[in-house]
Amino acid sequence: MPTSELALLGGPKTRTAPFPPYPVIGAEERRAVMEVLDEGRLSTFIASPGEHFLGGKRIRAFERAFADYHGVRFAVAFNSATSALHAAVVALDVPAGHEVLVPPYTFTSTATCALMAGAVPVFVDVEPETFCLDPKALEAAVSPLSRAVIPVHLFGHPAPMDEILDVARRHSLRVIEDAAQAPGAMYRGRRVGTLGDCAVYSFQESKNLMTGEGGMLITNDPQVAEVAQLVRNHGEMIEASSARRTYRSEILGYGYRMTEFEAALGLVQLGRLAAQNAARQRLAAHLTRALAGVPGLRPPVVRPGCEHVFYAYTLTYDEAAWGAPRDRFVAALGAEGVPAAPGYVKPLYLNPLYADRRSLAFGSYRGSVRYERGICPVTEDLHFQKAIVLVVVRPPAGERDMDDIATAVHKLWTHREELARC
Ligand SMILES: Cc1ncc(COP(=O)(O)O)c(C=O)c1O
């Protein structure tokens, strides 16, 4: 006989069924992919007479639809957000040996894109409420070598763009929005991604709009769009006069092209985005209501004027209220059948890549960037002590699934003394 009600200590689990899998692939996605196969043109980037370096018809249609959705002039499709970020740093002309300011609480490529372009990331702390770049810390981190900043709309919440843009303007920094986790989010009446010089999205399979793998760069600047197109496609320009492939290398480029399959999926998924985001918002609101009254757990903060699209649902844990460390709470929640993560990605500067400066980009760097524990205390506190990340707060999960999460949390609260002791 178990001696405890807590599943962590052998008691019955709150939930035994797994949460519904993501993504949902519907009949429209299947039809769109089959049409590509039936037509037999899977890329068409490799130019033959009459076609050019801008990609196949679905890629161009997806780019147009994505640009129109954002009300911007250009969208350039990529095989990932990582490659789009790399292209963005190149297109914004950040010189080698210079600095790009980035938060450390993000996915690796927000920072590695600087290294890929020969520049060096400088990590700037985040705000404790939204996990996004702190404009005051940004101001303090600007140096004579700073050339660009990459705010991240982390977990689907917009970064404080007005304040960030103000710092950027005063210090002549170019701005790349990393909107990988926030397609459709709104900031003071404007869509995120339309506020900086350019923005980047990810369509990797876990994202709100997904194509398996894929990415997009959007901008109103024709020159940025053109350089991004070149970086994506081996740096080879098709000469307008010949409409034939001439293998003429304009700049250093890469094989960053999207396929027609992904574009076909993207067109369908873009049509679903508003409903998907609304479903995430409803589930998040339901869970937040169901958790009301549990002390020591702050639900996601949504700043006035911001629309959060909940790529992930976050809780901020207060160890003093619970009497047990966060990691034990998360383990106990997992044992109850609710998957959650203690924190997100480890503060990026703690990786050997930075600590040991394992990139050629450092060769030409003469600045004084530091990569060591303590440089971004808010991020460290969130990551190591307070942040809890749930990715199951998304369709096709429903309100009953959210109720199970809340039931498990209430159970842990009821048995918190046992949790504190174990
Ligand atoms: C904030 C952020 N930036 C960039 C990326 C990179 O996206 P991709 O996997 O499409 O290269 C991700 C993906 O997880 C992300 O979350």
Side-chain angles (χ1 to χ4, degrees):
M1 280 294 284
T3 54
S4 169
E5 277 299 303
L6 292 175
L8 186 68
L9 302 176
K13 286 164 89 85
T14 304
R15 178 183 171 114
T16 48
F19 280 76
Y22 186 88
V24 181
I25 295 166
E28 275 188 86
E29 279 90 349
R30 283 175 216 282
R31 195 176 320 118
V33 168
M34 286 312 292
E35 274 172 15
V36 176
L37 277 175
D38 289 342
E39 284 176 25
R41 302 306 310 272
L42 313 188
S43 167
T44 76
F45 264 108
I46 296 179
S48 52
E51 292 171 331
H52 52 69
F53 89 135
L54 292 177
K57 68 178 181 188
R58 286 179 185 77
I59 285 159
R60 278 174 280 157
F62 183 31
E63 289 175 341
R64 192 66 264 141
F66 202 80
D68 289 348
Y69 173 80
H70 288 89
V72 297
R73 290 180 67 193
F74 306 100
V76 183
F78 282 82
N79 58 4
S80 70
T82 302
S83 43
L85 280 163
H86 179 191
V89 179
V90 173
L92 293 185
D93 235 356
V94 175
H98 287 68
E99 294 174 349
V100 179
L101 299 145
V102 299
Y105 218 27
T106 178
F107 185 71
T108 178
S109 36
T110 310
T112 52
C113 63
L115 297 175
M116 292 174 194
V120 163
V122 171
F123 293 103
V124 176
D125 216 347
V126 300
E127 298 181 323
E129 297 82 17
T130 63
F131 306 82
C132 293
L133 196 70
D134 178 345
K136 290 197 200 71
L138 176 64
E139 177 92 51
V142 172
S143 88
L145 291 175
S146 308
R147 289 293 178 276
V149 54
I150 310 183
V152 180
H153 306 302
L154 199 73
F155 304 136
H157 190 286
M161 289 304 295
D162 282 347
E163 293 82 354
I164 290 170
L165 290 170
D166 178 54
V167 176
R169 234 181 334 261
R170 284 187 287 100
H171 296 281
S172 303
L173 305 176
R174 309 299 302 271
V175 180
I176 301 167
E177 290 176 72
D178 184 338
Q181 301 184 2
M186 298 293 288
Y187 179 77
R188 298 186 173 159
R190 295 163 71 192
R191 245 183 235 306
V192 303
T194 63
L195 306 157
D197 292 293
C198 67
V200 161
Y201 294 82
S202 170
F203 308 133
Q204 179 272 337
E205 149 180 292
S206 71
K207 298 299 191 297
N208 294 29
L209 188 173
M210 76 87 217
T211 63
E213 297 288 348
M216 192 76 85
L217 179 153
I218 64 171
T219 184
N220 278 313
D221 184 333
Q223 214 179 329
V224 170
E226 184 172 315
V227 175
Q229 286 158 348
L230 280 165
V231 170
R232 162 179 75 176
N233 201 9
H234 303 286
E236 284 183 359
M237 179 67 93
I238 297 296
E239 288 167 65
S241 57
S242 74
R244 282 192 306 111
R245 194 175 197 193
T246 58
Y247 293 101
R248 176 184 149 126
S249 291
E250 294 283 331
I251 63 169
L252 177 59
Y254 303 82
Y256 284 169
R257 304 179 299 214
M258 180 180 265
T259 68
E260 286 282 280
F261 294 115
E262 290 150 343
L265 285 169
L267 279 163
V268 176
Q269 287 266 310
L270 184 58
R272 295 194 197 284
L273 181 61
Q276 288 285 315
N277 282 347
R280 285 173 185 263
Q281 288 163 348
R282 275 195 304 276
L283 291 174
H286 185 89
L287 180 56
T288 295
R289 273 194 305 275
L291 291 175
V294 182
L297 279 182
R298 189 180 64 200
V301 170
V302 184
R303 284 262 167 82
C306 290
E307 194 180 322
H308 192 324
V309 293
F310 294 101
Y311 169 65
Y313 182 97
T314 52
L315 292 167
T316 308
Y317 184 81
D318 178 1
E319 181 175 338
W322 282 80
R326 177 210 49 190
D327 290 9
R328 194 176 308 155
F329 170 89
V330 170
L333 198 57
E336 295 296 336
V338 175
Y344 176 49
V345 176
K346 182 170 74 172
L348 291 181
Y349 52 82
L350 297 177
N351 286 288
L353 169 63
Y354 301 103
D356 300 343
R357 302 195 177 211
R358 296 180 186 173
S359 164
L360 292 177
F362 292 108
S364 59
Y365 178 64
R366 300 287 170 265
S368 54
V369 70
R370 285 163 47 227
Y371 302 125
E372 62 208 23
R373 193 133 183 170
I375 60 171
C376 294
V378 175
T379 300
E380 292 180 19
D381 189 40
L382 287 171
H383 182 71
F384 293 111
Q385 324 279 350
K386 293 191 172 145
I388 298 171
V389 180
L390 291 106
V391 295
V392 292
V393 184
R394 64 186 171 195
E399 292 187 353
R400 289 219 178 126
D401 299 300
M402 301 303 106
D403 290 339
D404 283 348
I405 298 173
T407 302
V409 170
H410 281 283
K411 177 178 168 186
L412 297 189
W413 178 253
T414 304
H415 297 278
R416 64 188 176 281
E417 284 176 13
E418 231 180 306
L419 192 63
R421 278 197 308 270
C422 71

